[in-house]
Amino acid sequence: FLNGALNIINKMVNVRAKQVLGMANGTLINYLEGTVLALALALLAGDRHLAQPGYLGSIPFLYYLGGVFGLVAMVLTIRGMEKVPVAVSAVVILGGQLLAGFLMDAAAGRVGLRELAGLCLVGAGVWWNNRQSQRAAQEAAGETAPSAR
């Protein structure tokens, strides 16, 4: 729960940073801050591997992709959150996370009927939320949705 709340706050701050500083600078300041904090935490925890020559080269390339995927996800989120309400953005992000997790679990053979049913329920919720948002936008613009007539 706390992670989800902090995630939304983080995204709101990133949207504001983008609006004030621009996409590249807002993203860069976020990653610089995160890098400094992660380095400080590693040093405080007594983990000094990063100071050893050759250590970074011994890390498998796959582990470096986490930062790349995080950067792409953050840029997409910032762009999306400017166009839709925060709650809609959170639901869409959650839906994407659940779908990706489902596909990874399916590839590993860890998916059952319960997981599929849960994914379908979340998908139905995302669809319903999108439908209601579109209807509200049409009503605010003075239109009436065809299905409501």
Side-chain angles (χ1 to χ4, degrees):
F1 179 78
L2 180 60
N3 184 23
L6 291 175
N7 201 337
I8 292 298
I9 292 168
N10 173 296
K11 289 176 185 357
M12 300 274 306
V13 170
N14 289 333
V15 167
R16 187 69 182 137
K18 185 257 181 192
Q19 292 169 342
V20 173
L21 304 172
M23 180 64 88
N25 290 330
T27 301
L28 181 61
I29 196 72
N30 180 287
Y31 271 81
L32 285 175
E33 173 191 0
T35 300
V36 169
L37 288 173
L39 184 59
L41 283 173
L43 293 174
L44 286 173
D47 193 353
R48 306 241 186 319
H49 291 296
L50 293 175
Q52 297 173 359
Y55 178 73
L56 292 176
S58 71
I59 298 173
F61 176 73
L62 177 66
Y63 299 157
Y64 286 102
L65 292 179
V68 174
F69 287 123
L71 176 65
V72 171
M74 186 176 73
V75 169
L76 292 174
T77 299
I78 290 170
R79 288 198 181 265
M81 284 184 76
E82 286 185 312
K83 298 176 179 155
V84 298
V86 175
V88 172
S89 174
V91 170
V92 170
I93 290 168
L94 175 64
Q97 289 173 337
L98 287 172
L99 178 61
F102 178 82
L103 293 174
M104 288 179 198
D105 283 346
R110 296 184 300 222
V111 174
L113 190 55
R114 263 190 313 187
E115 290 81 9
L116 182 58
L119 186 66
C120 289
L121 282 172
V122 170
V126 169
W127 172 80
W128 181 260
N129 188 18
N130 186 41
R131 182 174 167 221
Q132 296 304 314
S133 295
Q134 287 176 345
R135 183 174 287 162
Q138 288 173 344
E139 289 174 1
E143 302 174 11
T144 305
S147 61
R149 288 184 190 170

